[in-house]
Amino acid sequence: MSVSHAAPAALPHVYSDAERRMALVAVLIVLFLSALDQTIVATAMPRIINDLAGLERIAWVGTAYLLTSTVTVPIYGKLGDIHGRRPVIIFGVLVFLAGSMLCGLAGEFGDLPIIGDGMNQLVAWRAVQGLGAGALTTGAFATVADIAPPAERGRYTGWFGAMFGLAGLAGPVLGGVLTDHATMTVLGHVIAGWRFIFYVNLPLGLVALYILLRHLPPGNRGQDTPIDWLGSALVVTAAVPLLLALSWAGEAAGWQQPRVGIALGVAAAGLAAYLVTARGKAHAVVPLDLFADKVVTRAIIALFLINLAYMSVPMFLPLYLQLVRGLSAAQSGAAMLPLLFGILAGSMLSGRSGRKSQQYKPALVAGGAVALAGMAAITQLSADISHGGLMAMLFVFGLGLGPAQGMFTLAVQSAVSHARVGVATASSQFFRQIGSTIGMALYGGLMVFHLTGALAQNVPALVQGQSITLAQAQTLAMDKTALAKAAPVATDAAEAGLKASFSDSITALFPVSLAIMLLAFAVTLAVPARKLRGRDDVAPA
């Protein structure tokens, strides 16, 4: 009787110390590029929309980037599991750099066929950037899973958190400096300074590309299993209309728009179709059996909720500081630095703690408690709070958020087999970004709702039976000359009414964030506590 023996599974590639260092440098650069692009644009947006005449499309500059980067994350994760991380990251860098160049050129050659004017071009090229960015973030986190076992990844996730923090610190400052001071004339043609917020990606990206091509090992290649293209298409079908609906719902017309209902219906149909087709499929792009593990399910839910809660602060607190407290754009950006310093410190501390204790839950629980305290303090924001008090609130909030930047992903990676690290990492990043996107739409819609009512109550001389948009109210609040023309009889009263309206509508968002953060903390407490796997530990099946 003959006995057949299954072929032994291929052993993972063992990285040398030199390979680890070069791999870390490369992925840190590409992660910095992706993170920087989410923060550097905000400071330049007023100048961009002025040059490209696109105020009514301002939201789409960010939404287009987030749409494409979010829906492609699971696809890139699956491709990385099958073909290795390096080709996926290299592809992402090339697409990202092409998108950056095109964004810088938006509007330079007038209207283009099909796409249209400069603002439409910028939105389209930001979508191209997002296609590349989805591979950068997913590939960076998954590469760490290749080069180190879970118990040793704490220091790497700490570095990743530090890179996010550095990008958060550098982005607003660099964006402002380039917008204000980089304008130049070449051969008689004026190149606006804001275009260099996109061109700055090119030298950094080329350095990262060189290191990736020369020094990053091919990594561990999985089995040549079929890619779930149907599932990928259904994920896109579910995610894109959902994000579009949430973005449209943030407009003044809100949820009553027919296109919102249609988009939600398409998203629900796409989700239902995916759940049916993915059931029992071994190689689904987002495997349903991945969520059978309680660590994976609860960590991803907590990560989703934390990012949903977080978005109210970086999105709307700068607006509060400028319109209510009268700070300049540069001053409001500087006032946000304690939040980013806190995230940086929390991420580094939790990374070290995880490495020493080989546990992820203590840092997550401690961080959640600190974040709750910080968010509770922010809900008490008023004109009586000093600048120093505000900075302390933001630092505490950021310190609590820091551990969530990498430790939840670390927990998910430790709960799955090495062969599924890419798709598990991609799933966690996917739901992280979905949380941020829903947060943008949710808080935008809430602010429009509160602001419309507050303006009608506090500034009747301006409204006069007509609705006033957020953009119009912001312009009047920042431009006293325009305000004097709009309300010549009672300019001072109108200014006070505008400030009160913005103060009430923005501070109303923070209790909502606190409630969501409390729910996230409850889910964090429910995440099972497991020891991170060491180099010789057996991964789950």
Side-chain angles (χ1 to χ4, degrees), residues 31-43:
L31 194 67
F32 178 77
L33 285 174
S34 176
L36 183 69
D37 221 63
Q38 298 179 40
T39 59
I40 196 174
V41 176
T43 312

Side-chain angles (χ1 to χ4, degrees), residues 240-395:
V240 172
L242 173 63
L243 298 181
L244 288 172
L246 292 171
S247 177
W248 290 332
E251 298 173 357
W255 296 95
Q256 288 76 27
Q257 301 176 83
R259 61 178 179 173
V260 172
I262 293 172
L264 289 176
V266 173
L271 176 60
Y274 180 80
L275 293 176
V276 171
T277 58
R279 185 171 301 165
K281 186 182 291 185
H283 305 295
V285 64
V286 181
L288 300 184
D289 63 336
L290 190 69
F291 299 93
D293 189 289
K294 292 181 179 179
V295 170
V296 174
T297 302
R298 295 174 187 178
I300 285 179
I301 292 174
L303 194 59
F304 167 84
L305 292 171
I306 288 170
N307 281 271
L308 174 60
Y310 167 69
M311 289 308 295
S312 68
V313 177
M315 279 190 66
F316 292 102
L317 189 56
L319 190 63
Y320 172 88
L321 295 174
Q322 292 183 46
L323 301 185
V324 179
R325 296 206 169 189
L327 300 185
S328 67
Q331 290 171 332
S332 66
M336 297 297 293
L337 292 181
L339 173 65
L340 302 170
F341 279 125
I343 293 175
L344 177 62
S347 179
M348 296 296 289
L349 289 173
S350 64
R352 292 181 181 179
S353 171
R355 184 187 177 194
K356 291 181 179 179
S357 67
Q358 297 188 9
Q359 298 281 344
Y360 51 80
K361 188 167 182 178
L364 290 174
V365 172
V370 174
L372 268 178
M375 193 69 244
I378 292 173
T379 61
Q380 305 303 310
L381 184 63
S382 68
D384 299 329
I385 301 295
S386 67
H387 186 65
L390 174 61
M391 294 177 70
M393 293 176 183
L394 291 175
F395 180 79

Side-chain angles (χ1 to χ4, degrees), residues 209-540:
L209 191 61
Y210 172 81
I211 297 175
L212 289 168
L213 290 171
R214 290 292 303 272
H215 299 289
L216 184 66
N220 304 312
R221 181 186 173 96
Q223 298 179 354
D224 289 325
T225 54
I227 297 177
D228 182 18
W229 292 113
L230 174 61
S232 300
L234 290 175
V235 167
V236 173
T237 302
V240 172
L242 173 63
L243 298 181
L244 288 172
L246 292 171
S247 177
W248 290 332
E251 298 173 357
W255 296 95
Q256 288 76 27
Q257 301 176 83
R259 61 178 179 173
V260 172
I262 293 172
L264 289 176
V266 173
L271 176 60
Y274 180 80
L275 293 176
V276 171
T277 58
R279 185 171 301 165
K281 186 182 291 185
H283 305 295
V285 64
V286 181
L288 300 184
D289 63 336
L290 190 69
F291 299 93
D293 189 289
K294 292 181 179 179
V295 170
V296 174
T297 302
R298 295 174 187 178
I300 285 179
I301 292 174
L303 194 59
F304 167 84
L305 292 171
I306 288 170
N307 281 271
L308 174 60
Y310 167 69
M311 289 308 295
S312 68
V313 177
M315 279 190 66
F316 292 102
L317 189 56
L319 190 63
Y320 172 88
L321 295 174
Q322 292 183 46
L323 301 185
V324 179
R325 296 206 169 189
L327 300 185
S328 67
Q331 290 171 332
S332 66
M336 297 297 293
L337 292 181
L339 173 65
L340 302 170
F341 279 125
I343 293 175
L344 177 62
S347 179
M348 296 296 289
L349 289 173
S350 64
R352 292 181 181 179
S353 171
R355 184 187 177 194
K356 291 181 179 179
S357 67
Q358 297 188 9
Q359 298 281 344
Y360 51 80
K361 188 167 182 178
L364 290 174
V365 172
V370 174
L372 268 178
M375 193 69 244
I378 292 173
T379 61
Q380 305 303 310
L381 184 63
S382 68
D384 299 329
I385 301 295
S386 67
H387 186 65
L390 174 61
M391 294 177 70
M393 293 176 183
L394 291 175
F395 180 79
V396 171
F397 184 49
L399 187 66
L401 290 173
Q405 298 301 308
M407 296 302 286
F408 277 116
T409 300
L410 188 60
V412 169
Q413 291 177 342
S414 186
V416 301
S417 65
H418 183 82
R420 308 191 79 187
V421 161
V423 71
T425 303
S427 297
S428 67
Q429 297 304 310
F430 177 80
F431 284 99
R432 177 204 296 267
Q433 291 181 238
I434 287 290
S436 297
T437 308
I438 292 176
M440 292 174 66
L442 171 65
Y443 298 121
L446 287 174
M447 182 181 176
V448 168
F449 173 78
H450 286 294
L451 185 58
T452 301
L455 288 171
Q457 179 179 355
N458 298 328
V459 198
L462 285 176
V463 177
Q464 296 179 342
Q466 299 180 353
S467 61
I468 184 170
T469 66
L470 176 60
Q472 290 170 334
Q474 180 179 350
T475 299
L476 294 172
M478 299 182 70
D479 188 342
K480 291 187 177 181
T481 301
L483 179 61
K485 293 180 180 179
V489 178
T491 303
D492 292 341
E495 181 179 5
L498 283 169
K499 287 187 175 182
S501 298
F502 274 101
S503 179
D504 294 345
S505 59
I506 294 173
T507 55
L509 306 178
F510 301 138
V512 178
S513 287
L514 178 61
I516 298 173
M517 190 65 72
L518 183 61
L519 180 59
F521 184 65
V523 176
T524 301
L525 292 176
V527 175
R530 297 178 187 168
K531 185 178 179 180
L532 293 170
R533 297 197 312 269
R535 187 176 299 277
D536 299 323
D537 294 333
V538 178

Side-chain angles (χ1 to χ4, degrees), residues 86-111:
R86 187 172 73 171
V88 172
I89 298 179
I90 290 173
F91 173 80
V93 171
L94 291 173
V95 174
F96 183 83
L97 293 182
S100 298
M101 173 63 77
L102 291 170
C103 284
L105 293 172
E108 287 279 45
F109 304 102
D111 293 357

Side-chain angles (χ1 to χ4, degrees), residues 135-215:
L136 302 187
T137 305
T138 304
F141 277 97
T143 297
V144 168
D146 282 346
I147 66 178
E152 298 178 17
R153 291 176 199 158
R155 58 176 175 174
Y156 295 100
T157 57
W159 279 107
F160 280 16
M163 196 55 59
F164 277 113
L166 178 61
L169 295 172
V173 176
L174 183 60
V177 170
L178 291 175
T179 300
D180 290 339
H181 303 291
T183 300
M184 62 177 63
T185 302
V186 178
L187 299 178
H189 177 70
V190 177
I191 302 176
W194 63 262
R195 298 184 183 277
F196 288 93
I197 69 173
F198 300 109
Y199 294 150
V200 75
N201 293 327
L202 301 179
L204 289 174
L206 291 175
V207 170
L209 191 61
Y210 172 81
I211 297 175
L212 289 168
L213 290 171
R214 290 292 303 272
H215 299 289

